Amino acid sequence: MNRNVRSLLHAIVLLTGVALVLLNFGYFHYGYGTSKTSLIPHGLPSYFSPHNHTPSNPSPNFELTAGNPHFLAQTASYIRAISNSSDTTFPRLECPFSPTDRYTYMNKPSESAAPKPKYFFALDLHNCVKLLPRLIGSIVETIRFLGPRNCALSVVEGRSVDGTFEVLKELRNELEGLGIRYIFQSSDINPHAKGTDRIEALAELRNLAIKDILENSALYAQDTTIIFSNDIAVCMEDILELIHQRNAQSADMTCAMDWTYVGENPTFYDVWIARGMTGDSFFNIPPDGSWDYAWNLFWNDAKAQSHWQSFKPFQVFSCWNGITAFTAKPIMEGKIRFRKHLEKECYQGEPKLFAKDMWWNGYGKIAVVPSVNVEYSDEAAKKIKTLKGYTWSHVANEEDNMKIKWELDPPSRVKCIPGGYETQKWVAWNEGLP
Ligand SMILES: *[C@@H]1O[C@H](CO)[C@@H](O)[C@H](O)[C@H]1NC(C)=O
């Protein structure tokens, strides 16, 4: 290829990459697929019966604006699609899977006399109404499977002008009718506002989403799992497998693999946050910022690479990767919050700092579950599911040697990418902590 064309392509890929990193919080435009829908799980336990539906504790009421009448008039079809996984009003990623015996153990009520929620779903969402039938639909499907009384759903909507707010607001009756504790807030916090520290704003939004756990921890089971999702197209099986692997591996945190189609081929997306047990990023980004090596995942980490290639979970230093399931314990105990970097810490994203704080507090069993692959639109998620396989296809072929041999110590040094890639550097994993 002509050198100049190559450099131009470099520049474009670099700019796109930087833009993606900068826009790491729900600023995609969503495409549409033409898919049908997933199956409703059958054989649900009796406590899903349509009677007896009031949540054990009333959902908190936050002050909300009335909403835009134009969008309010359109919410019914979204709510119907969200609550009925067979609804075909909206084309969405196909999820042709019903949970198997593999996951039924997860829907037992928690052991206390008055069962408390033990699965806490948290999301920060902005302008993503087209994604709601698939994203919230899969979460509601999962909650039905796990038992509505075992679950709470917390959504923080922010500054949407596409009807996202209205759908999520109007969803409340439907969810409470199912017996789900639904915590819906709307926030003006704008990570992109002038003079705002973007990471501090994102951390604040994430803390808002888990606020109910912080403030009403007595309402939740001690072994609560938080499932925190980005604005992705996801299937119920993806969510269940992340929770399952957290249980099966005794992991503190499990993450999917998230992808983005910058060009024709998908690129691992969360490269700014994720670090392997080498302390390095999942693919090499040379100082010139080129993403030429994005195809070569775990290039210097044979163990992670072989596990990734054979769809077996593997330990990492940090991940988020579109959707993650983690223990609520250090949060309930007041040890960890989402935060920005400290003064003596390299500038980095709040999910990476979260993982660092997890290690610091003894919760270093953090793993990627590479059988779970997600993307940020229905259309591209179809492509990635076709390419990487649905979660169930890997689960069905699972081998015996799935158990992670946990390393107890983090990598001594971890790569930090503070701003441009030319400034990336290795720092002590616990840099800046007291
Ligand atoms: C769900 O949607 C399908 C397809 O439109 C429809 O046949 C079915 O009756 C709906 N189920 C409920 C409970 O509304």
Side-chain angles (χ1 to χ4, degrees):
M1 201 187 293
N2 177 307
R3 234 189 120 83
N4 289 332
V5 175
R6 259 188 93 90
S7 322
L8 183 64
L9 280 178
H10 266 188
I12 290 169
V13 169
L14 166 62
L15 281 174
T16 317
V18 169
L20 286 171
V21 167
L22 291 176
L23 302 181
N24 195 9
F25 175 71
Y27 290 80
F28 277 80
H29 295 285
Y30 299 105
Y32 256 102
T34 51
S35 77
K36 294 214 300 295
T37 57
S38 60
L39 305 167
I40 302 184
H42 43 265
L44 297 177
S46 59
Y47 51 84
F48 297 145
S49 68
H51 319 289
N52 190 15
H53 266 348
T54 32
S56 27
N57 289 288
S59 304
N61 246 322
F62 294 96
E63 221 172 279
L64 301 167
T65 61
N68 178 327
H70 168 72
F71 291 131
L72 282 170
Q74 297 170 6
T75 56
S77 55
Y78 283 95
I79 289 166
R80 217 179 309 121
I82 287 168
S83 39
N84 179 356
S85 57
S86 304
D87 188 277
T88 52
T89 310
F90 300 94
R92 43 184 166 179
L93 165 71
E94 238 175 297
C95 297
F97 166 80
S98 291
T100 58
D101 296 347
R102 183 179 180 84
Y103 304 121
T104 46
Y105 76 93
M106 298 189 325
N107 61 29
K108 307 278 182 293
S110 57
E111 276 171 18
S112 56
K116 297 174 173 182
K118 56 179 175 178
Y119 303 109
F120 186 93
F121 293 83
L123 303 99
D124 290 326
L125 296 176
H126 165 74
N127 276 351
C128 58
V129 72
K130 286 181 181 174
L131 202 60
L132 297 181
R134 180 71 285 153
L135 171 59
I136 305 296
S138 288
I139 288 175
V140 167
E141 216 182 341
T142 306
I143 288 176
R144 282 195 155 114
F145 179 78
L146 294 172
R149 285 164 171 280
N150 288 329
C151 301
L153 170 57
S154 170
V155 182
V156 177
E157 180 280 335
R159 304 172 299 106
S160 297
V161 292
D162 68 344
T164 300
F165 169 81
E166 287 77 4
V167 170
L168 292 168
K169 184 186 180 198
E170 294 300 298
L171 197 55
R172 179 170 172 147
N173 281 344
E174 181 74 24
L175 295 182
E176 289 188 352
L178 289 168
I180 301 168
R181 180 174 176 80
Y182 182 49
I183 304 126
F184 178 56
Q185 307 165 77
S186 186
S187 167
D188 292 335
I189 296 170
N190 181 356
H192 301 287
K194 260 213 176 108
T196 301
D197 182 314
R198 193 176 70 92
I199 300 303
E200 186 174 28
L202 292 174
E204 207 174 329
L205 286 166
R206 292 204 193 278
N207 284 330
L208 263 186
I210 58 168
K211 193 170 84 161
D212 202 48
I213 289 226
L214 305 173
E215 292 183 352
N216 297 310
S217 63
L219 294 182
Y220 293 93
Q222 281 186 344
D223 60 346
T224 291
T225 299
I226 297 175
I227 301 97
F228 212 128
S229 179
N230 288 1
D231 48 346
I232 52 168
V234 67
C235 292
M236 167 166 64
E237 54 165 342
D238 300 327
I239 302 169
L240 290 174
E241 184 63 15
L242 286 178
I243 302 172
H244 170 69
Q245 287 297 337
R246 186 170 113 66
N247 296 330
Q249 308 280 1
S250 307
D252 298 312
M253 180 171 191
T254 51
C255 306
M257 286 291 282
D258 65 344
W259 300 88
T260 182
Y261 281 84
V262 177
E264 214 166 290
N265 296 311
T267 305
F268 171 66
Y269 178 61
D270 217 358
V271 68
W272 196 48
I273 299 301
R275 297 291 179 274
M277 289 304 286
T278 54
D280 216 335
S281 49
F282 282 15
F283 62 84
N284 187 31
I285 302 172
D288 72 357
S290 141
W291 279 33
D292 278 3
Y293 305 101
W295 60 274
N296 196 6
L297 280 184
F298 306 108
W299 81 103
N300 58 357
D301 186 349
K303 193 170 153 191
Q305 192 179 57
S306 79
H307 277 69
W308 170 64
Q309 283 169 344
S310 49
F311 301 98
K312 291 186 183 122
F314 55 94
Q315 190 176 9
V316 294
F317 176 75
S318 62
C319 59
W320 193 268
N321 301 7
I323 180 166
T324 170
F326 54 87
T327 172
K329 212 168 160 209
I331 288 164
M332 289 169 122
E333 289 172 349
K335 290 177 178 160
I336 298 184
R337 297 277 186 281
F338 292 100
R339 63 179 181 86
K340 70 166 184 172
H341 69 105
L342 304 171
E343 215 165 287
K344 288 180 180 163
E345 259 174 334
C346 179
Y347 182 84
Q348 55 198 294
E350 78 289 353
K352 186 153 163 275
L353 290 164
F354 180 79
K356 179 180 179 176
D357 291 345
M358 288 282 278
W359 277 99
W360 180 254
N361 284 284
Y363 296 94
K365 291 178 177 173
I366 301 174
V368 164
V369 182
S371 57
V372 180
N373 293 280
V374 297
E375 221 279 352
Y376 288 77
S377 72
D378 279 276
E379 207 168 48
K382 278 166 76 177
K383 282 161 69 178
I384 207 72
K385 294 286 185 196
T386 305
L387 187 69
K388 305 280 178 195
Y390 276 85
T391 298
W392 65 263
S393 67
H394 302 301
V395 163
N397 298 315
E398 187 173 88
E399 293 169 32
D400 291 336
N401 54 348
M402 291 288 284
K403 272 265 153 76
I404 296 172
K405 293 186 184 72
W406 293 108
E407 290 178 39
L408 299 180
D409 294 320
S412 58
R413 297 178 318 146
V414 174
K415 193 175 269 180
C416 184
I417 307 175
Y421 289 104
E422 73 285 356
T423 61
Q424 56 187 305
K425 58 185 177 188
W426 289 94
V427 299
W429 79 269
N430 57 355
E431 177 199 36
L433 296 183

